[in-house]
Amino acid sequence: MERISVAYSPVPTAGSSIKAWWASAVVYQVYPRSFADANGDGMGDLPGVTAHLDHLHKLGVDAVWLSPFYKSPQADAGYDVADYREVDPLFGTLADFDEMLQKAHGLGLKVIVDLVPNHTSDEHTWFQEALAAAPGSSERDRYMFRPGKDSVPGSGDGDLAPNNWKSIFGGPAWSRVTEADGAPGEWYLHLFDTKQPDLNWENAEVKEEMRSVLRFWLDRGVDGFRVDVAHGMVKEAGLPDWEGSAAMVEGATELPGDAHGGHTEADEPHRAHAAAMTGDGEGAGHQPVSPLYPPSPFFDQDGVHDIYRDWNRVLAEYDGDRMLVAEAWVEPAERLARYVRPDEMQQAFNFDFLLAGWDAARTAVAIEASLRAAATVGATTTWVLSNHDTVRHSTRFGLKDPTTFPKGIAAEDEQPDAGLGLARARAASMVSLALPGSAYLYQGEELGLPEHTAVPAEARQDPTFFRTNGVERGRDGCRVPLPWKSGEPGYGFASAAGTGAGAANAPAAPWLPQPESFGVLAADRQDGVAGSTLELYRAALALRREHRLGAGSFVWADSHEPADGVLAFRNGDVLVIANMGIAAAPLPDGYRIALASTPEAVTGGDAEAKTDLAGARKLAPNSAAYLLAG
């Protein structure tokens, strides 16, 4: 049947009207534990970051985002903060941070740091004061302390938790304390680990303290903050019971059901969302439901927006277009756009795009919905495929179903097709880097690193693994230390020339084991090697910069056929085509190939025709290309 040609109208974008650096920036996430170890103790550190900033500068990114390096007992890899103004000795000192910041700025790189405002560590001074204080005290009011549900004279002794909320990490969200007299006492809320008590954001002292933390780092010169659990903090009044179960990594409700088709819309709302928007399945064309269905009483409450308006005013006290980016697992896109209204945050992570998987129709829906929603509030959107909480996209895309989103992978689980996953990941990354707005890269994706899918149980450290008794494999697989030099111990992650424990001889083993595949993917094996993933990223970032794609425009191209697996769009003078289907896709005449995701991506014609105009050219499945006219 002959396909009817569709004339596409431009999708609104706000990039060209926003001059701030962050609007079109490419931001590289550094997970300090696993980036580089300068003192040889097996743990990444800030001097290690400093030593490798030249790698990021040569890569072509605009900014660096550092996951937490604050003083912490490390119950959740630093997201349990004991002191927001101190560097944990694991990572160095404040002087090390200042040196890193100075070098980054000298290279033209902006620096974004993590902010964790939903909870502190249980070792934070405030929480220790709360434990020592009496119920009803000002010290306890900084946190979410409550009596047991049955703490009514004559009817109960407080043995029942205040409500039935579940922790995102598994198990109950409430723990009971022992009072000073040794008697069982109040309960405190921890939406994550027991060692991460939730702050009470109705408390004025909490609000002022976080303003002070913002100013502390702004005064040191940081350029922005990534806000952890930005859709959290505020809880529904009365803390009502809720039968749902929030999952931080996918933002979805977890209910019993068949993982491969037996779920209802409430069970797997992301699949239902895609069906509704692409016209597939029952309910096609209807407005998608929230990813937390029924809505959560502790996520995406309206009160969080008052907090961000307040913080917006704090950042406005400083020059340099300081910014906030929200980690907010919120759907639909219109709901997420509320976080980036002009008087709130500057950016929010676009998890719809990440969750679309290797699927042209789902990806097309995510792109257009995200751009349109952001434009309604005059904001740019972000594009991200991997981070420290998700299975790397080079591995997800190699699974039998490349749209699935597992919570970690273990040796006994389905293992990915590594070659197929990498080919698709390279193509998807080219798509993300060609879209208008800001792109976020996760450390190591420029090397094509896979998930470590066989981390031994005894080596795992993610609290989700332990709190779910291993049902959730956890996030250790994406947090494995990077390989810098293939011929050195730990693939060069640690420096034997350091000054830490064991550095005089050989560096300590990395804090998580590395897979053998890291050897051939190490940075020194790819640097300057044509066709390597590292050189592909460098080339894509150079083209992005040359053609100002981050501040560009967007329109679907004539060759856009998502039903056939072909994603095609124009951004300024660049035509981008990604073939996510199973058959080769024709390339239009009148264009030259500026960059392809693999040397074998373009077929047809003679050797010269692959980069010139002669011959019938086609784009192979699982690949992408940038094309320029003439």
Side-chain angles (χ1 to χ4, degrees):
M1 184 177 69
E2 183 178 353
R3 185 172 293 279
I4 299 174
S5 178
V6 178
Y8 293 100
S9 299
V11 177
T13 58
S16 59
S17 62
I18 303 176
K19 305 305 179 185
W21 65 268
W22 44 262
S24 59
V26 177
V27 183
Y28 185 100
Q29 180 188 358
V30 166
Y31 192 68
R33 288 172 149 253
S34 301
F35 188 68
D37 170 18
N39 66 5
D41 66 355
M43 181 70 67
D45 46 42
L46 292 177
V49 176
T50 304
H52 289 278
L53 286 175
D54 289 328
H55 169 82
L56 304 185
H57 180 249
K58 187 176 180 181
L59 183 62
V61 300
D62 303 296
V64 181
W65 151 36
L66 286 91
S67 293
F69 50 84
Y70 311 114
K71 186 177 180 181
S72 164
Q74 304 295 315
D76 185 25
Y79 283 93
D80 48 320
V81 181
D83 190 330
Y84 290 92
R85 297 174 181 83
E86 286 291 339
V87 172
D88 194 282
L90 276 175
F91 305 121
T93 65
L94 272 174
D96 292 328
F97 176 84
D98 291 339
E99 182 180 353
M100 182 276 302
L101 183 65
Q102 181 179 14
K103 181 173 180 180
H105 283 168
L107 292 171
L109 297 169
K110 305 289 187 181
V111 176
I112 298 166
V113 299
D114 238 299
L115 187 68
V116 188
N118 180 74
H119 47 263
T120 71
S121 165
D122 64 343
E123 296 185 22
H124 191 286
T125 300
W126 273 11
F127 194 71
Q128 291 301 306
E129 292 172 352
L131 291 178
S137 63
S138 59
E139 290 84 359
R140 288 205 174 176
D141 191 56
R142 297 164 175 160
Y143 293 91
M144 302 292 290
F145 277 88
R146 295 292 186 275
K149 182 181 290 187
D150 58 338
S151 295
V152 178
S155 67
D157 56 9
D159 287 341
L160 296 178
N163 62 32
N164 67 347
W165 293 358
K166 302 180 185 69
S167 164
I168 282 80
F169 285 172
W174 294 92
S175 289
R176 197 174 191 184
V177 303
T178 300
E179 302 296 355
D181 61 2
E186 291 189 312
W187 300 73
Y188 70 90
L189 177 69
H190 50 86
L191 290 179
F192 295 88
D193 192 70
T194 55
K195 292 182 67 62
Q196 293 169 289
D198 279 50
L199 288 164
N200 173 19
W201 274 90
E202 301 297 323
N203 182 288
E205 191 177 1
V206 169
K207 296 177 182 178
E208 182 53 39
E209 168 65 4
M210 211 55 67
R211 291 187 202 104
S212 175
V213 170
L214 288 170
R215 291 189 176 100
F216 178 85
W217 292 104
L218 290 167
D219 288 341
R220 298 195 90 83
V222 304
D223 301 286
F225 301 88
R226 176 264 192 188
V227 182
D228 185 63
V229 197
H231 58 317
M233 296 134 81
V234 175
K235 281 70 176 176
E236 184 176 336
L239 309 183
D241 280 351
W242 183 57
E243 297 302 325
S245 180
M248 192 65 193
V249 172
E250 64 181 5
T253 307
E254 290 295 311
L255 298 174
D258 185 327
H260 300 287
H263 282 190
T264 66
E265 187 174 55
D267 294 325
E268 282 215 80
H270 286 298
R271 292 188 181 278
H273 170 79
M277 299 303 285
T278 60
D280 299 328
E282 184 178 354
H286 292 175
Q287 179 68 21
V289 297
S290 164
L292 296 176
Y293 188 81
S296 160
F298 50 76
F299 280 163
D300 197 28
Q301 299 292 303
D302 288 343
V304 298
H305 299 286
D306 293 332
I307 297 171
Y308 301 135
R309 293 186 186 97
D310 182 36
W311 291 4
N312 184 291
R313 292 189 289 270
V314 173
L315 267 62
E317 299 169 8
Y318 296 81
D319 59 12
D321 294 319
R322 314 295 175 101
M323 58 86 75
L324 300 166
V325 56
E327 182 213 25
W329 293 86
V330 174
E331 281 186 352
E334 291 76 14
R335 189 79 184 174
L336 183 63
R338 300 170 77 238
Y339 287 77
V340 291
R341 289 176 288 196
D343 61 343
E344 295 191 39
M345 306 180 94
Q346 284 69 34
Q347 291 186 334
F349 288 135
N350 181 357
F351 293 122
D352 272 1
F353 181 74
L354 183 152
L355 290 163
W358 182 253
D359 182 277
R362 290 164 60 108
T363 301
V365 168
I367 290 172
E368 181 156 352
S370 300
L371 287 172
R372 289 190 181 280
T376 64
V377 293
T380 59
T381 192
T382 65
W383 311 102
V384 60
L385 289 165
S386 289
N387 62 36
H388 66 292
D389 283 333
T390 65
V391 171
R392 287 182 177 273
H393 65 286
S394 58
T395 292
R396 299 198 314 270
F397 294 171
L399 296 172
K400 185 176 180 181
D401 179 354
T403 68
T404 55
F405 200 77
K407 296 179 181 178
I409 299 176
E412 56 268 36
D413 299 325
E414 178 199 347
Q415 297 298 295
D417 181 326
L420 179 61
L422 179 57
R424 289 170 169 174
R426 288 164 59 112
S429 295
M430 284 185 62
V431 170
S432 69
L433 291 172
L435 290 165
S438 179
Y440 281 75
L441 309 179
Y442 179 48
Q443 64 176 38
E445 71 170 86
E446 79 279 13
L447 304 177
L449 297 187
E451 185 88 356
H452 190 349
T453 60
V455 177
E458 62 271 18
R460 291 188 179 273
Q461 300 191 31
D462 189 346
T464 63
F465 177 78
F466 301 103
R467 287 181 61 84
T468 64
N469 294 316
V471 173
E472 291 188 20
R473 308 308 192 186
R475 301 160 293 177
D476 294 310
C478 69
R479 298 176 174 185
V480 175
L482 298 191
W484 293 101
K485 296 180 180 179
S486 58
E488 295 188 1
Y491 304 120
F493 167 66
S495 170
T499 58
N505 298 306
W511 69 280
L512 278 175
Q514 300 159 303
E516 290 185 7
S517 61
F518 274 26
V520 296
L521 297 174
D524 69 330
R525 294 283 292 271
Q526 299 193 48
D527 187 20
V529 177
S532 70
T533 303
L534 176 57
E535 293 303 332
L536 175 70
Y537 268 74
R538 287 172 175 168
L541 285 163
L543 273 166
R544 174 188 171 91
R545 187 165 52 251
E546 177 185 354
H547 293 272
R548 302 190 71 250
L549 300 181
S553 57
F554 183 93
V555 62
W556 294 115
D558 293 342
S559 50
H560 179 59
E561 298 289 358
D564 294 336
V566 178
L567 190 78
F569 61 89
R570 299 178 191 276
N571 184 345
D573 60 350
V574 177
L575 172 61
V576 180
I577 301 179
N579 186 357
M580 300 180 178
I582 59 174
L587 292 173
D589 294 331
Y591 289 88
R592 62 181 176 87
I593 306 298
L595 184 67
S597 60
T598 64
E600 304 80 20
V602 181
T603 60
D606 55 31
E608 289 74 21
K610 293 181 182 181
T611 54
D612 294 328
L613 303 179
R617 298 172 303 163
K618 291 186 177 181
L619 185 67
N622 306 311
S623 57
Y626 294 168
L627 297 88
L628 294 170

